[in-house]
């Protein structure tokens, strides 16, 4: 519908009668528009726009029009009956709501900016109210709506960028024919190489001893993957396929995982030796998959992740995956192309290989692995675990571990704890055997002489482990799942990891895991551990008072979860509360715990511009309780006994700094408690219903997750920035804070004091006291060591990389402290 209204005084001072214009043919029937004072004759693009929201959807258009006419009429003067010309458009109603007259939103067009300023001032003084609804206005220029309606266009690419992209594709468009892929173990002197698995892809060659004839005519090619959408090259890929094979396979080597490259010749055939920091990934896909014609859709999850290439490879993949040798075709152009492409992407320079001795798969035979398992099964589990570490990380070969049998028996006879500490140090010293020119036996004896009694360590435990005592601590392990190199599993557009994870991770969660002869079953997880993909497992044991304990009985003893058991996510979250890392403090009596009500306030909230205002109760004390000063000091004294480093004093008065707030776990309660001085003289803690997560009446010990004895740092993030932006904070404020954060992190590369501040601000290296170490370097004027030492340079470059990632992906901008006020104290 279209309406036009005009109320103009005539030359004699009398207002003419209003007149109606017929419906405008060009106006959409689904949109309502009110045009005043002939404004429809002007283009709406030339008008000043204000977005209108919170318009009552059940009110007819005429009533809304009259409300706008009243508010846009100037007060006083000869033109007091004349309203400001405007055009109003309301969005059509939702078809699913037939009773609505409009959608509750729209746009008002004004001829001049001065009219908009007048409207803003008038609305502040006399808000437009239609019934119980107060109409809201927001400035807009129409660019957003036009951008949403316009079709998507790719950003323009300059001619230089297109030429550079074409040049990159030409430089990396070559393929290198691979005749054999060999995974193996390299000697410590790097002059020998043992082939533990080999894939032969030369159809014309005779089969080697123990290797099948390549009757399926498989071919392998090495190429450089330049990434999606013209990104920098990301990986080397070896694709294996054959005309008669239903599937093709691929070995993917990330370029940042390549440690070194070597080139040599064996039996007249050139080869390329690739040493890696971490093992590559293995993938497969159907050889002749159906395609849709859309390259992006066809590439999505087209590859499936594998654990190994074939059953024979599966036996050695855990031990021999960091060194591979590629025998390539003798055609010199293929080697030249590889050298050119590797230089183009700045891979490590190709060195000359010194391999003179080549062995064939005798290091990790099933018999030798069984012999190591049989030897270690006679040791205590702690010693057996260290032997497993030596084997799984390829620090020692199976026959080298077997040679240590006598020495290990002697260490165990001295004491299990002593033998475990010696082996922990031995694991650190073993990688330097060749440089130190010593055997594994000599290194183990040296570790025994250098092993000192270390500790006690500042290590947080949790409620479950403390409940069953230190003699059963080794029955609980925390298993972290990660990709090669320890990185978290992440989504990949091209490779589908679902089946791989279901087999690799899901099988362990369902059936348990075998470690050093013990079968551990899944128990639970903590909230922070779940974000890092780590889970708690338990080895069933017999407790002297509790009896037979396994995962089910331990979970049942944590408390009553009948309210949450029907929601798996909430049930898991409640159980994880008992596995949070905490420090024990004091035990309470039941009458020393008081439940007080939460503070609630009823208010009116509108969840959207088009929604109705509804009453809702807001909880002002969610997860927050109180504690008496005497009990808070008793808790702090107990924590200082556990960790003497906690004790801090004020430099001006030597008065001990005591926390006034704690993050606690108390049975089924969790949250923060702050000191209430009205409870002075009492030993009392007050909790609220919002802190109650499950019933655990038998657990009356206060566990401390964190003690707040200094001001906490404030950080901006994306949700907080969006909220402040909505409340009217200018964008330039956030940009300025972000630029300052970047400038501070850049100066940290050159000044130890700035480096210490950077690490303390972003909580980097806190467990190793790196901020205090850098601060001491600054006090002793050791800037030269800070600037030239390779360790510190690499440390600071990694820190800067972390800070930039936090700024880019999470908008984690540190705020500027205005005053020092501890958390929980108002």
């Amino acid at each position: 519908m279209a309406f036009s209204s005009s109320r103009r005084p005539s030359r004699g001072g009398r207002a003419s009668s209003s007149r109606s214009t017929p419906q405008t043919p060009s106006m959409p029937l689904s949109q309502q528009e009110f045009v005043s004072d002939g404004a429809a004759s002007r283009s709406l693009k030339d008008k000043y726009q204000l977005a209108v929201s919170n318009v009552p959807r059940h009110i007819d258009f005429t009533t809304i029009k009259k409300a706008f006419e009243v508010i846009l009429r100037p007060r006083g003067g000869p033109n007091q009956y004349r309203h400001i010309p405007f055009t109003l458009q309301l969005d059509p109603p939702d078809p699913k709501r037939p009773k609505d007259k409009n959608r509750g939103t729209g746009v008002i067009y004004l001829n001049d900016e001065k009219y908009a300023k007048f409207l803003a001032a008038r609305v502040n003084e006399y808000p437009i109210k239609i019934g119980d609804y107060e109409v809201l206005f927001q400035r807009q220029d129409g660019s957003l709506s036009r951008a949403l309606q316009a079709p998507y266009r790719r950003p323009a690419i300059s001619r230089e960028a297109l030429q550079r992209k074409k040049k990159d594709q030409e430089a990396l468009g070559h393929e290198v024919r691979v005749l054999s892929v060999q995974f193996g173990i390299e000697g410590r002197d790097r002059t020998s190489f043992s082939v533990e698995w080999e894939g032969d892809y030369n159809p014309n060659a005779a089969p080697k001893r123990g290797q099948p004839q390549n009757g399926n005519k498989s071919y392998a090619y090495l190429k450089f993957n330049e990434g999606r959408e013209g990104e920098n090259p990301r990986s080397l890929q070896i694709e294996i396929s054959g005309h008669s094979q239903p599937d093709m396979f691929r070995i993917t080597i990330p370029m940042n995982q390549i440690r070194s490259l070597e080139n040599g010749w064996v039996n007249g055939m050139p080869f390329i030796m690739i040493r890696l920091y971490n093992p590559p990934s293995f993938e497969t896909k159907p050889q002749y998959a159906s395609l849709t014609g859309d390259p992006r859709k066809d590439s999505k999850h087209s590859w499936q992740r594998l654990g190994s290439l074939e059953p024979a490879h599966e036996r050695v993949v855990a031990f021999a995956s960091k060194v591979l040798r590629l025998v390539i075709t003798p055609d010199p152009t293929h080697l030249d192309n590889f050298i050119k492409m590797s230089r183009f992407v700045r891979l490590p320079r190709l060195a000359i290989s010194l391999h003179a001795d080549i062995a064939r798969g005798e290091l990790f035979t099933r018999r030798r692995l069984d012999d190591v398992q049989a030897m270690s099964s006679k040791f205590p589990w702690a010693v057996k675990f260290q032997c497993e570490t030596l084997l799984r990380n390829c620090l020692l070969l199976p026959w080298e571990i077997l040679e240590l049998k006598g020495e290990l028996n002697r260490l165990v006879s001295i004491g299990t704890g002593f033998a475990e500490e010696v082996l922990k140090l031995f694991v650190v010293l073993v990688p330097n055997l060749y440089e130190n020119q010593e055997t594994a036996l000599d290194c183990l004896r040296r570790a025994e002489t250098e092993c000192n009694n270390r500790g006690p360590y500042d290590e947080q435990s949790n409620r479950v482990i403390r409940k069953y005592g230190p003699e059963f601590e080794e029955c609980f392990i925390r298993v972290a799942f990660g990709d090669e190199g320890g990185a978290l599993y992440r989504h990949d557009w091209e490779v589908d990891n679902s089946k791989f994870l279901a087999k690799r991770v899901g099988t362990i969660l369902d059936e348990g895991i075998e470690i050093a002869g013990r079968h551990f079953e899944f128990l639970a997880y903590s909230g922070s551990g779940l974000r890092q993909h780590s889970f708690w497992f338990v080895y069933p044991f017999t407790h002297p008072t509790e009896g037979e304990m396994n995962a089910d009985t331990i979970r049942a003893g944590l408390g009553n979860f009948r309210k949450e058991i029907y929601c798996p996510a909430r049930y898991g979250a409640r159980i994880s509360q008992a596995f949070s890392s905490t420090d024990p403090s004091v035990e309470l009596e039941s009458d020393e715990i008081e439940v007080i009500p939460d503070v609630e306030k009823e208010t009116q909230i509108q969840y959207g511009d088009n929604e109705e205002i509804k009453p809702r109760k807001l909880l002002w004390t969610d997860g927050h309780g109180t504690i008496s000063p005497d009990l808070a000091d008793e808790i702090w004294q107990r924590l200082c006994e556990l960790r003497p480093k906690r004790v801090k004093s004020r430099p001006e008065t030597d008065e001990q700094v005591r926390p006034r707030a704690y993050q606690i776990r108390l049975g089924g309660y969790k949250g923060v408690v702050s000191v209430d001085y009205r409870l002075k003289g009492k030993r009392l803690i007050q909790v609220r219903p919002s802190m109650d997560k499950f019933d655990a009446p038998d657990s009356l010990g206060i566990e401390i997750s964190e003690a707040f004895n200094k001001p906490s740092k404030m950080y901006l993030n994306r949700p907080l920035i969006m909220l402040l932006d909505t409340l009217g904070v200018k964008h330039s404020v956030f940009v300025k804070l972000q630029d300052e954060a970047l400038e501070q992190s850049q100066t940290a590369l050159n000044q130890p004091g700035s480096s210490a501040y950077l690490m303390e601000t972003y909580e980097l290296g806190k467990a190793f006291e790196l901020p205090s170490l850098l601060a001491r370097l600054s006090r002793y004027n050791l800037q030269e060591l800070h600037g030239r030492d390779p360790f510190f340079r690499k440390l600071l470059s990694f820190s800067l990389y972390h800070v930039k990632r936090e700024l880019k992906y999470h908008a984690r901008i540190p705020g500027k402290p205005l005053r020092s006020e501890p958390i929980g104290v108002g």
Side-chain angles (χ1 to χ4, degrees), residues 10-207:
S10 62
R11 295 187 178 183
R14 291 177 297 180
S16 61
S17 60
S18 61
R19 59 186 183 274
S20 300
T21 58
Q23 183 172 345
T24 307
S26 60
M27 182 69 63
L29 295 177
S30 59
Q31 189 177 54
Q32 297 174 332
E33 180 179 4
F34 170 66
V35 185
S36 79
D37 203 53
S41 60
R42 297 183 56 184
S43 173
L44 295 182
K45 294 182 179 180
D46 300 332
K47 293 177 177 291
Y48 195 84
Q49 305 177 25
L50 290 174
V52 182
S53 60
N54 203 33
V55 178
R57 292 177 293 190
H58 60 283
I59 303 296
D60 62 276
F61 192 80
T62 304
T63 305
I64 298 172
K65 174 196 67 174
K66 292 180 178 179
F68 276 85
E69 284 183 336
V70 171
I71 199 64
L72 291 173
R73 182 183 299 125
R75 302 300 176 92
N79 295 331
Q80 58 177 329
Y81 297 105
R82 178 183 179 184
H83 61 73
I84 294 174
F86 66 93
T87 302
L88 176 67
Q89 288 184 351
L90 296 181
D91 297 328
D94 189 347
K96 298 181 181 179
R97 306 181 65 163
K99 295 184 179 180
D100 290 353
K101 303 296 193 306
N102 59 77
R103 196 178 287 266
T105 57
V107 180
I108 183 172
Y109 298 89
L110 301 166
N111 291 346
D112 199 327
E113 186 174 358
K114 64 181 181 181
Y115 294 148
K117 293 180 179 179
F118 169 80
L119 176 60
R122 178 55 58 86
V123 168
N124 289 333
E125 185 178 1
Y126 304 102
I128 296 182
K129 279 197 173 183
I130 305 177
D132 295 331
Y133 294 81
E134 181 178 336
V135 181
L136 305 176
F137 297 88
Q138 186 177 2
R139 178 176 177 174
Q140 74 171 32
D141 56 2
S143 58
L144 177 62
S145 59
R146 290 194 295 271
L148 293 175
Q149 296 173 2
Y152 172 74
R153 294 181 181 179
R154 286 182 175 272
I157 303 177
S158 63
R159 180 177 300 179
E160 293 77 8
L162 289 174
Q163 292 176 351
R164 187 166 56 252
K165 181 179 179 180
K166 184 178 179 181
K167 182 179 179 181
D168 294 348
Q169 292 175 346
E170 292 176 353
L172 300 175
H174 304 287
E175 293 182 342
V176 179
R177 176 72 185 280
V178 178
L179 304 181
S180 178
V181 177
Q182 301 170 349
F183 283 96
I185 298 294
E186 198 173 23
R188 292 191 177 92
D189 58 357
R190 294 192 175 182
T191 61
S192 61
F193 181 73
S194 175
V195 180
E196 298 300 313
W197 179 87
E198 181 177 10
D200 187 8
Y201 308 110
N202 184 6
N204 300 323

Side-chain angles (χ1 to χ4, degrees), residues 240-255:
I240 305 167
S241 61
H243 298 297
S244 60
Q245 289 182 343
D247 299 322
M248 61 187 303
F249 298 88
R250 186 172 72 180
I251 304 172
T252 300
I253 305 171
M255 293 186 183

Side-chain angles (χ1 to χ4, degrees), residues 511-635:
E511 303 175 5
I513 184 173
E514 188 87 14
I515 299 179
R518 284 187 177 182
H519 184 79
F520 291 83
E521 54 188 39
F522 170 73
L523 177 59
Y525 55 83
S526 65
S528 59
L530 183 62
R531 289 191 292 271
Q532 299 299 321
H533 300 174
S534 64
F535 304 86
W536 282 99
F537 286 73
V538 63
Y539 172 68
F541 59 92
T542 303
H543 195 269
T545 58
E546 301 286 342
E548 296 292 333
M549 303 303 298
N550 55 31
D552 293 332
T553 55
I554 291 175
R555 285 192 293 264
L558 296 178
N560 186 353
F561 301 95
R562 285 180 297 180
K563 295 184 295 184
E564 290 82 12
I565 198 170
Y566 299 103
C567 178
R570 188 180 295 116
Y571 176 54
R574 298 296 177 257
I575 290 180
S576 70
Q577 182 175 325
F579 289 87
S580 299
S581 297
T582 56
D583 289 322
S585 59
V586 299
E587 292 286 333
L588 301 177
E589 300 294 335
S590 58
D591 58 349
E592 295 173 337
I593 304 174
E594 181 181 352
V595 180
I596 59 176
D598 279 296
V599 178
E600 297 180 336
K601 180 181 179 181
E602 188 167 342
T603 184
Q604 304 289 328
I605 293 181
Q606 183 180 14
Y607 292 94
D609 294 339
N610 302 333
E611 300 297 330
E612 299 180 358
I613 299 178
K614 299 179 181 179
R616 182 187 174 185
K617 289 185 177 180
L618 295 181
L619 204 60
W620 295 93
T621 55
D622 188 12
H624 187 274
T626 61
I627 189 173
S628 64
D630 298 339
L631 183 55
D633 294 342
E634 185 180 349
I635 292 174

Side-chain angles (χ1 to χ4, degrees), residues 152 154-155 157 165 169 225-232 234 295-296 299 493:
Y152 172 74
R154 286 182 175 272
I157 303 177
K165 181 179 179 180
Q169 292 175 346
N225 177 26
E226 56 183 319
R228 298 189 302 271
E229 300 296 334
E231 296 176 358
N232 291 331
R234 297 182 305 163
R296 182 170 175 82
S299 63
W493 177 268

Side-chain angles (χ1 to χ4, degrees), residues 187 295 302 457 498 574 692 725 787:
S302 56
Y457 297 105
S498 57
R574 298 296 177 257
D692 187 11
D725 177 63

Side-chain angles (χ1 to χ4, degrees), residues 187-346:
R188 292 191 177 92
D189 58 357
R190 294 192 175 182
T191 61
S192 61
F193 181 73
S194 175
V195 180
E196 298 300 313
W197 179 87
E198 181 177 10
D200 187 8
Y201 308 110
N202 184 6
N204 300 323
K208 301 178 177 64
R209 195 180 78 177
Q211 298 291 333
Q213 173 69 41
N214 187 8
N216 55 9
K217 305 291 184 182
S218 296
Y219 298 90
Y221 291 91
L222 182 147
K223 63 181 183 180
F224 286 71
N225 177 26
E226 56 183 319
R228 298 189 302 271
E229 300 296 334
E231 296 176 358
N232 291 331
R234 297 182 305 163
S235 61
L236 294 181
Q237 293 181 343
I238 305 167
E239 290 191 359
I240 305 167
S241 61
H243 298 297
S244 60
Q245 289 182 343
D247 299 322
M248 61 187 303
F249 298 88
R250 186 172 72 180
I251 304 172
T252 300
I253 305 171
M255 293 186 183
N256 58 0
Q257 296 298 324
I258 297 177
R259 183 193 297 267
S260 63
L261 295 171
E262 287 186 0
N263 168 235
W265 294 77
V266 56
N267 298 329
M269 304 292 288
F271 67 82
I272 299 170
M273 179 73 66
I274 304 176
R275 298 187 185 91
L276 306 174
Y277 292 104
N278 294 295
S281 60
F282 308 100
E283 298 141 11
T284 183
K285 76 172 183 178
Q287 176 86 302
Y288 304 104
S290 58
L291 303 177
T292 63
D294 186 346
R296 182 170 175 82
K297 290 183 179 179
D298 293 336
S299 63
K300 182 179 181 180
H301 293 171
S302 56
W303 292 86
Q304 295 283 342
R305 183 83 175 266
L306 294 175
S308 59
L309 294 175
E310 61 176 8
H313 182 226
E314 185 177 3
R315 178 178 58 84
V316 300
V317 69
F319 311 103
S321 293
K322 293 186 178 181
V323 181
L324 71 156
R325 195 174 69 163
L326 307 177
V327 180
I328 64 175
T329 179
D331 187 350
T333 56
H334 287 254
L335 180 60
D336 293 341
N337 289 335
F338 176 81
I339 295 174
K340 292 178 182 178
M341 290 188 291
S342 62
R343 289 179 179 176
F344 184 81
V345 297
R346 298 182 180 180

